[in-house]
Amino acid sequence: IRKVGEIIGVVGAIRIDSLKFEPVPLTVNEIEVVHIFDSLPRPTQAPLIHIGTPVKTVLKNGLTVLLYEDHSMPIVSFYMGLNTAGRVFEKEKKDIGELTSRMLLSGVENRTKDQIVDSLAGMGSMYRMTESSFYVSSLSKYTTTSFQLFADVILRPSFPLQEFYAAKNAAIESCRTSEKNERSVLDRVYKALTFAGKSPEGEMMSPSTIEAITPDDCVNYYNTYWRPNNAVLLVMGDITPSQLSTMVNRRFRTWGRAEIPAHSISIAEDVPMTEINFLNVPERRRADVIISNVADFDYNSPDVYPAIFINHIFGGDLLENIRAKLKI
């Protein structure tokens, strides 16, 4: 690299047979200067991130609305999240929530799936749908249009049958592929040993559980859990409280609340003593390690953020150092 840096205006061509360095003349427009540093550059100062206090509103139907107003950039983001995330037993039909989320983006009463995607693409929007949330972000000049589409997807899904069976077949194929993946097999064994049916985390998805899901199951799941008293609307960006209030009341004020089923979930208890389990996969060229310790606390617990940092350290440098020492 230093040789190339010294010969500014030429590029080196190395012959494999003779290993001779031959300068080739370049035009002015082709010259690329190579910078040589004798030491690492000094890090820049970390940016100051200020998270303000949100404006909180609770509608009569139970929908909680949080607004973080920020006019530093012309961007507005809308996020709708369900409170029951990860706490729904799906019995012998695991993945109802995931299929339902795919159906929400598959068409609404006045738009097809292609029209929804084209509208989002036309605004240059970012969007993401999961089994318990929906997120859309766009330039603030499209605030009204993106919010209308955001609300339509949540409030007016049409559940087209053709899209249901397409999504179902895709989920089955994805499940069959994952059954041949060593990492996926390890995750399934880990969940079986840790939760063993005592938590939704311990439920196993398979082609048979997906095959058992019907269109009515998705409709019932949507009508049961996608309710205002089971959701939080988070809005961030270049929008004022009065603008948001007008839009939210116009679209979500009449969203009907419903009784949300209470699921009794047993606490997965840790093993009484340290336990080491091995999964032998002879064709595997490397070893994967999962270190687990079961702890039961919610996000109001003071232990939440220390646990997040510990998980990051254990999952990052510690395991990399172990692999380096063991050469795995």
Side-chain angles (χ1 to χ4, degrees):
I1 295 175
R2 184 175 294 277
K3 185 67 177 176
V4 176
E6 292 171 355
I7 309 178
I8 302 299
V10 300
V11 65
I14 300 178
R15 291 180 180 174
I16 301 301
D17 55 348
S18 61
L19 294 179
K20 291 182 179 179
F21 188 89
E22 295 185 357
V24 179
L26 295 177
T27 65
V28 175
N29 293 332
E30 293 175 322
I31 295 176
E32 180 178 351
V33 178
V34 179
H35 297 282
I36 305 299
F37 295 96
D38 294 326
S39 62
L40 291 175
R42 299 180 65 180
T44 59
Q45 183 177 359
L48 178 62
I49 299 176
H50 175 69
I51 301 177
T53 302
V55 176
K56 180 179 179 179
T57 306
V58 180
L59 303 187
K60 291 182 179 180
N61 58 11
L63 177 64
T64 299
V65 182
L66 298 175
L67 168 62
Y68 284 92
E69 189 176 1
D70 181 2
H71 301 284
S72 61
M73 296 184 68
I75 296 176
V76 178
S77 301
F78 302 102
Y79 171 91
M80 183 74 76
L82 303 185
N83 297 324
T84 54
R87 301 186 63 83
V88 178
F89 273 113
E90 296 176 346
K91 308 296 183 183
E92 300 301 321
K93 297 184 178 183
K94 178 65 176 172
D95 220 29
I96 294 177
E98 178 64 29
L99 271 182
T100 302
S101 69
R102 296 189 188 190
M103 293 303 297
L104 295 183
L105 275 177
S106 294
V108 296
E109 293 177 8
N110 59 344
R111 287 186 179 96
T112 64
K113 178 180 179 179
D114 290 341
Q115 288 173 330
I116 293 174
V117 174
D118 289 345
S119 295
L120 290 168
M123 295 183 290
S125 300
M126 297 175 58
Y127 64 96
R128 181 176 64 254
M129 173 69 79
T130 72
E131 64 178 319
S132 58
S133 67
F134 182 40
Y135 166 85
V136 172
S137 180
S138 66
L139 293 174
S140 55
K141 67 178 181 178
Y142 298 121
T143 295
T144 302
T145 305
S146 62
F147 182 81
Q148 293 293 348
L149 190 148
F150 174 81
D152 280 345
V153 168
I154 295 172
L155 299 175
R156 305 171 65 185
S158 58
F159 294 98
L161 286 178
Q162 183 177 356
E163 295 293 342
F164 168 79
Y165 289 110
K168 184 175 178 178
N169 291 334
I172 292 174
E173 186 61 32
S174 176
C175 187
R176 285 175 176 159
T177 301
S178 68
E179 288 178 347
K180 301 175 183 178
N181 181 280
E182 294 92 346
R183 178 68 199 197
S184 296
V185 172
L186 177 61
D187 286 338
R188 290 168 69 90
V189 172
Y190 158 70
K191 289 182 178 181
L193 291 172
T194 306
F195 303 104
K198 296 180 179 180
S199 163
E201 287 291 338
E203 292 183 307
M204 298 298 175
M205 182 179 65
S206 68
S208 61
T209 61
I210 300 174
E211 189 63 52
I213 300 173
T214 67
D216 287 342
D217 289 328
C218 291
V219 174
N220 291 335
Y221 185 94
Y222 166 79
N223 288 331
T224 301
Y225 297 105
W226 284 84
R227 291 293 181 174
N229 52 311
N230 188 42
V232 174
L233 173 60
L234 174 61
V235 182
M236 299 168 286
D238 187 21
I239 186 172
T240 65
S242 60
Q243 286 177 301
L244 180 62
S245 177
T246 299
M247 293 190 300
V248 168
N249 279 289
R250 184 176 297 164
R251 294 307 309 272
F252 288 106
R253 179 174 53 84
T254 57
W255 189 14
R257 62 183 297 147
E259 190 70 27
I260 307 301
H263 295 272
S264 178
I265 299 176
S266 301
I267 298 175
E269 297 180 356
D270 222 341
V271 291
M273 61 183 67
T274 301
E275 185 176 297
I276 301 176
N277 300 282
F278 291 94
L279 179 62
N280 183 27
V281 183
E283 63 272 18
R284 184 73 165 163
R285 294 293 184 180
R286 56 173 286 176
D288 289 310
V289 180
I290 294 180
I291 301 174
S292 175
N293 182 58
V294 177
D296 181 52
F297 51 77
D298 59 28
Y299 275 85
N300 292 319
S301 169
D303 294 327
V304 168
Y305 291 104
I308 291 175
F309 282 111
I310 290 173
N311 286 340
H312 175 75
I313 294 172
F314 279 2
D317 295 339
L318 177 62
L319 285 184
E320 291 301 322
N321 291 338
I322 291 174
R323 289 192 179 104
K325 292 287 186 182
L326 299 178
K327 297 181 179 180
I328 58 176

